[in-house]
Amino acid sequence: MSVTAPQGFEAAGVAVGLKSTGKPDVAVVVNRGPLKVGAAVFTSNRAKANPIIWSQQVIQDGVVEAIVLNSGGANCFTGSFGFQTTHQTAEKAAELLGVSAGDILVCSTGLIGTGDEVFRAKVLDGTEQGIAALSTDGGEIASEAIMTTDSRPKRSTHTGDGWSIGGMAKGAGMLAPGLATMLVVITTDAVLTAEEADAHLRSATRTSFDRLDSDGCMSTNDQVSLLVSGASGVAPDADAFRAALAEVCADLARQLQGDAEGASHDITIRVVHAASEEEAVEVGRSVARNNLFKAAIFGNDPNWGRVLAAIGTTDAVFDPYDVDVWMNGVRVCSAGGPDQPREAVDLTPRATDLLIDLKVGDSEATILTNDLTHDYVHENSAYSS
Amino acid sequence: MSVTAPQGFEAAGVAVGLKSTGKPDVAVVVNRGPLKVGAAVFTSNRAKANPIIWSQQVIQDGVVEAIVLNSGGANCFTGSFGFQTTHQTAEKAAELLGVSAGDILVCSTGLIGTGDEVFRAKVLDGTEQGIAALSTDGGEIASEAIMTTDSRPKRSTHTGDGWSIGGMAKGAGMLAPGLATMLVVITTDAVLTAEEADAHLRSATRTSFDRLDSDGCMSTNDQVSLLVSGASGVAPDADAFRAALAEVCADLARQLQGDAEGASHDITIRVVHAASEEEAVEVGRSVARNNLFKAAIFGNDPNWGRVLAAIGTTDAVFDPYDVDVWMNGVRVCSAGGPDQPREAVDLTPRATDLLIDLKVGDSEATILTNDLTHDYVHENSAYSS
């Protein structure tokens, strides 16, 4: 069901040849109201794709009627022609829906530099076909139309007290801080103001998508959008809604991690007893980005030395000789020295837990990452994406 | 010849079983004077191995009699026992050479956490055997004794106006900023004060080893040492000596790059027209650390979109829509859009040139890196190092 699980939404996914496989490649999600509230967060990369530049303007007034997403081309670094393509996409959708183009979000994903006449024609065609195919059952195929190297669609739903949340996501590489090559659309029929929607979305992404750092690479096209129809007529308890939205985001983030390009381990890095949450994040991220550590996990090698070497490159408060490191429940390093033997650690399961105890303060944070594998290198060398 | 090319130095390399292959694993370089001047720079990693902690004290007074180096164990995170091993190594060498232990530098390289009783016994044995085997021809075997996953020794010499410089280096992974898993010993028979030696060494490493960023990982054990015998009796022209030392360092850095673990491309990233040298370095390093870019080069794919996406994560002054990118002499991106077709770029040679024109200012910098390959993943997953 994904984005059509809450009341007030219709969606579609259609195939217009942007993907050489002939699979669906344009998705449309329309908010039928009564509220037309929207919020969104965007890549923090300063090199932004045309749909990002466009959508950042659209979201200013907190009003969103619909979102059009395409795979098969990022429309990034495609010049003014590419920006016009995004603009025309919004105008085409607006005309067909009888709304303002300034209330249409646009997302693209695929190869940077792709955005020529052929691309434009297909995206406009897909927008038209998608709007013609809209239905309240369209959430599933929409979630398939946004896939690139994803091996499976990512969907999540939550049923609250009289309201619900639905979401879909794509992304299988460049999953990095401040978002990733990741397109996420979340819908809700709860009654929220634009300010509430924005605050809840920022709170939820801060500890979910923002802490998924699969390969340290940051995309030019990432966007997480929240569309609010208010169709349930229920104004939710703020804490309950925020927790539910955070859980939907965390669920989608774990699905992205679990489908990361070529990965063989899903690594959860939990940093505890840090001086601050920021420092816990800094330490976790430094380890998550250390290629030597990531390759060791691929090789089922509990190489804690590489963990300490990565921590040592941060500015976090810690004493290298008073750090404990646990892998899958086994303390392999205590007080900065060897503890249990490597043989005691079983790293064959895909789920891998790394616990770093800095023994400094009371703060903690969790970063999700993946290992560095032959398949990662293969997929990212043999496939232009 | 390496470190024994200049007058006043003896060296040796011996095998004591630290390496399972039986190859040489302990090296000793002794300065016979008349000057006993030394300078050194160290890893900026806050997690430092015992030999680093020791050597940082030794170098304080600018007096160095000898340096003992071992492969086959990093003696890092091995507790107070490990520090005592380093201390005993210096004391053993000092006793046999009739000098002060406080003038003996120590370096170790290998697996973090290795530093038990067996390790200590072998290192002390190697120190004794090495000093017994010292000769003015010992530079070559010394350069072999410091190898780990290196496929070949790295040596460089320079003959100046009445003085000379010799150097050896090891390192084939974790080649990253602020040094790398890299041990370098450089000798000269020029007449220099401790202050001159320190200034020249810092100047030379800043634009050579510090700009070699093979895989973004920073070691706990890196050390570049300069030993000055003054045996030529010639006080060199400062500019000529600095340039010669810089060229020896650059030569060794290129040899390290050319032997980086599993690499199939040596990538030279030149960033021009930056607002400052620091920003040029920041941009070059961001690209050098982008796994997607590195995997693309392995696949001979001139994926300039990944270059721009990496630049976009920096704080450098630039306009994403006014950047040119050249690969191996072909302009693949101009003004932030596609230029020449991908097919025009031949990425099959190992030497790969990436030129980034930021069109902002007058500063530039060059960063050396490598591609991300199957062999890199294999070597760093199958081999505990």
Side-chain angles (χ1 to χ4, degrees):
Chain A
M1 292 295 286
S2 80
V3 291
T4 49
Q7 301 174 65
F9 293 96
E10 293 179 7
V14 296
V16 293
L18 286 162
K19 285 178 179 165
S20 58
T21 57
K23 292 185 177 174
D25 40 25
V26 172
V28 181
V29 181
V30 174
N31 182 354
R32 295 300 189 187
L35 300 181
K36 301 298 179 72
V37 167
V41 293
F42 303 92
T43 181
S44 55
N45 199 314
R46 294 168 59 206
K48 297 182 199 306
N50 288 307
I52 297 293
I53 297 167
W54 170 262
S55 296
Q56 285 182 323
Q57 294 306 312
V58 168
I59 209 63
Q60 293 295 322
D61 64 359
V63 178
V64 175
E65 293 278 356
I67 180 166
V68 179
L69 313 92
N70 77 273
S71 50
N75 194 8
C76 180
F77 295 120
T78 47
S80 59
F81 184 87
F83 186 78
Q84 288 162 17
T85 297
T86 297
H87 190 183
Q88 289 184 19
T89 303
E91 286 188 327
K92 168 71 77 175
E95 179 192 330
L96 294 169
L97 294 169
V99 300
S100 162
D103 297 332
I104 309 290
L105 292 171
V106 180
C107 294
S108 299
T109 179
L111 185 64
I112 291 177
T114 301
D116 59 7
E117 292 83 353
V118 175
F119 172 85
R120 176 188 288 185
K122 288 179 177 173
V123 171
L124 293 176
D125 182 26
T127 304
E128 189 162 348
Q129 289 192 39
I131 289 174
L134 285 169
S135 91
T136 53
D137 299 327
E140 295 211 3
I141 194 163
S143 69
E144 292 167 19
I146 59 175
M147 291 165 62
T148 54
T149 55
D150 306 66
S151 69
R152 52 184 180 267
K154 286 89 179 171
R155 299 187 279 256
S156 186
T157 57
H158 178 92
T159 303
D161 188 10
W163 47 268
S164 63
I165 299 175
M168 65 179 186
K170 67 80 43 182
M174 285 205 283
L175 301 171
L179 305 189
T181 295
M182 176 171 81
L183 300 181
V184 181
V185 180
I186 300 169
T187 55
T188 184
D189 51 18
V191 175
L192 298 174
T193 66
E195 292 68 29
E196 288 169 338
D198 183 71
H200 290 326
L201 184 62
R202 287 180 193 284
S203 166
T205 56
R206 193 179 73 83
T207 54
S208 56
F209 299 118
D210 278 356
R211 296 199 181 162
L212 172 63
D213 195 339
S214 178
D215 66 358
C217 298
M218 191 191 298
S219 167
T220 51
N221 285 59
D222 304 323
Q223 183 170 333
V224 180
S225 304
L226 172 63
L227 275 55
V228 181
S229 72
S232 71
V234 178
D237 172 74
D239 289 345
F241 185 84
R242 192 159 48 234
L245 185 63
E247 183 43 39
V248 167
C249 288
D251 182 24
L252 290 170
R254 282 190 298 266
Q255 290 182 52
L256 292 169
Q257 179 193 28
D259 196 25
E261 280 172 0
S264 69
H265 289 80
D266 299 336
I267 310 170
T268 303
I269 303 174
R270 188 160 160 248
V271 182
V272 301
H273 296 130
S276 67
E277 185 179 348
E278 292 66 32
E279 293 194 358
V281 170
E282 182 190 4
V283 166
R285 226 186 259 305
S286 175
V287 176
R289 292 182 178 183
N290 188 282
N291 278 350
L292 291 170
F293 165 72
K294 293 158 85 80
I297 296 300
F298 169 56
N300 298 333
D301 174 10
N303 197 316
W304 57 268
R306 294 177 179 176
V307 175
L308 289 186
I311 302 172
T313 66
T314 70
D315 293 322
V317 177
F318 83 106
D319 176 351
Y321 293 97
D322 192 23
V323 172
D324 289 358
V325 177
W326 303 67
M327 290 198 197
N328 284 353
V330 178
R331 193 171 63 185
V332 286
C333 164
S334 58
D339 193 330
Q340 297 301 303
R342 289 156 186 264
E343 299 74 46
V345 184
D346 180 11
L347 284 171
T348 53
R350 184 176 174 102
T352 308
D353 287 314
L354 174 66
L355 175 65
I356 300 167
D357 187 346
L358 296 178
K359 301 185 194 169
V360 172
D362 296 321
S363 298
E364 66 171 88
T366 298
I367 298 287
L368 306 180
T369 189
N370 295 99
D371 54 350
L372 179 60
T373 69
H374 289 301
D375 286 348
Y376 176 89
V377 174
H378 175 73
E379 288 198 32
N380 287 297
S381 58
Y383 169 75
S384 275
S385 59
Chain B
M1 293 293 286
S2 78
V3 290
T4 49
Q7 301 173 65
F9 293 95
E10 293 179 7
V14 297
V16 293
L18 286 163
K19 285 178 180 165
S20 58
T21 57
K23 292 185 177 175
D25 41 26
V26 173
V28 181
V29 182
V30 174
N31 181 356
R32 296 300 190 186
L35 300 182
K36 300 298 179 73
V37 167
V41 293
F42 303 92
T43 182
S44 53
N45 198 314
R46 294 168 60 207
K48 297 181 199 304
N50 287 308
I52 297 293
I53 297 168
W54 170 262
S55 296
Q56 285 182 323
Q57 294 305 313
V58 169
I59 209 63
Q60 294 294 324
D61 65 359
V63 178
V64 175
E65 293 277 356
I67 180 166
V68 179
L69 314 93
N70 77 273
S71 50
N75 195 7
C76 180
F77 295 120
T78 47
S80 60
F81 184 87
F83 186 79
Q84 288 162 18
T85 298
T86 296
H87 190 183
Q88 290 184 19
T89 303
E91 286 188 326
K92 168 70 77 176
E95 177 193 331
L96 294 169
L97 293 168
V99 300
S100 161
D103 297 332
I104 308 289
L105 293 171
V106 179
C107 295
S108 298
T109 179
L111 186 63
I112 291 177
T114 301
D116 60 7
E117 292 83 351
V118 176
F119 172 85
R120 177 188 286 184
K122 288 178 178 174
V123 170
L124 293 176
D125 181 27
T127 304
E128 189 162 350
Q129 288 192 40
I131 289 173
L134 286 168
S135 91
T136 54
D137 300 327
E140 295 211 3
I141 193 163
S143 69
E144 292 168 18
I146 59 174
M147 290 164 62
T148 53
T149 56
D150 306 66
S151 69
R152 52 185 180 267
K154 286 88 181 172
R155 298 186 280 256
S156 186
T157 57
H158 178 93
T159 304
D161 188 11
W163 47 268
S164 63
I165 298 175
M168 66 179 186
K170 69 80 42 183
M174 284 204 283
L175 301 171
L179 305 188
T181 298
M182 176 170 83
L183 300 181
V184 181
V185 180
I186 300 168
T187 55
T188 183
D189 51 19
V191 175
L192 298 174
T193 66
E195 291 71 27
E196 288 169 337
D198 183 71
H200 290 326
L201 183 63
R202 287 179 192 283
S203 166
T205 56
R206 193 179 74 83
T207 55
S208 55
F209 299 119
D210 278 356
R211 297 200 181 162
L212 172 63
D213 195 338
S214 178
D215 66 359
C217 298
M218 192 192 297
S219 167
T220 51
N221 285 60
D222 304 322
Q223 183 170 334
V224 180
S225 303
L226 172 63
L227 276 56
V228 181
S229 73
S232 70
V234 178
D237 172 73
D239 289 343
F241 185 84
R242 192 160 46 233
L245 184 63
E247 182 43 38
V248 166
C249 288
D251 181 23
L252 290 170
R254 283 189 298 265
Q255 290 182 52
L256 292 169
Q257 179 193 28
D259 197 24
E261 281 173 0
S264 69
H265 289 82
D266 299 336
I267 309 170
T268 303
I269 303 174
R270 188 162 160 247
V271 181
V272 301
H273 296 131
S276 67
E277 186 179 347
E278 291 68 31
E279 293 195 357
V281 169
E282 183 190 4
V283 166
R285 225 185 262 302
S286 175
V287 176
R289 292 182 177 182
N290 188 281
N291 279 349
L292 290 171
F293 166 72
K294 293 158 84 82
I297 296 300
F298 168 56
N300 297 334
D301 174 10
N303 198 317
W304 57 267
R306 294 176 178 178
V307 174
L308 290 186
I311 302 172
T313 66
T314 70
D315 293 321
V317 177
F318 84 106
D319 176 351
Y321 293 98
D322 192 23
V323 172
D324 289 358
V325 177
W326 302 67
M327 290 198 196
N328 284 353
V330 177
R331 193 170 63 185
V332 287
C333 164
S334 58
D339 194 331
Q340 296 300 302
R342 289 156 185 263
E343 299 74 45
V345 183
D346 180 11
L347 284 171
T348 53
R350 183 176 175 101
T352 307
D353 286 314
L354 174 66
L355 175 64
I356 299 167
D357 187 345
L358 295 178
K359 302 185 192 169
V360 172
D362 295 321
S363 297
E364 66 170 88
T366 297
I367 299 287
L368 305 180
T369 189
N370 295 100
D371 54 351
L372 179 60
T373 70
H374 289 301
D375 286 350
Y376 176 89
V377 174
H378 176 73
E379 288 197 31
N380 287 299
S381 58
Y383 169 76
S384 275
S385 59

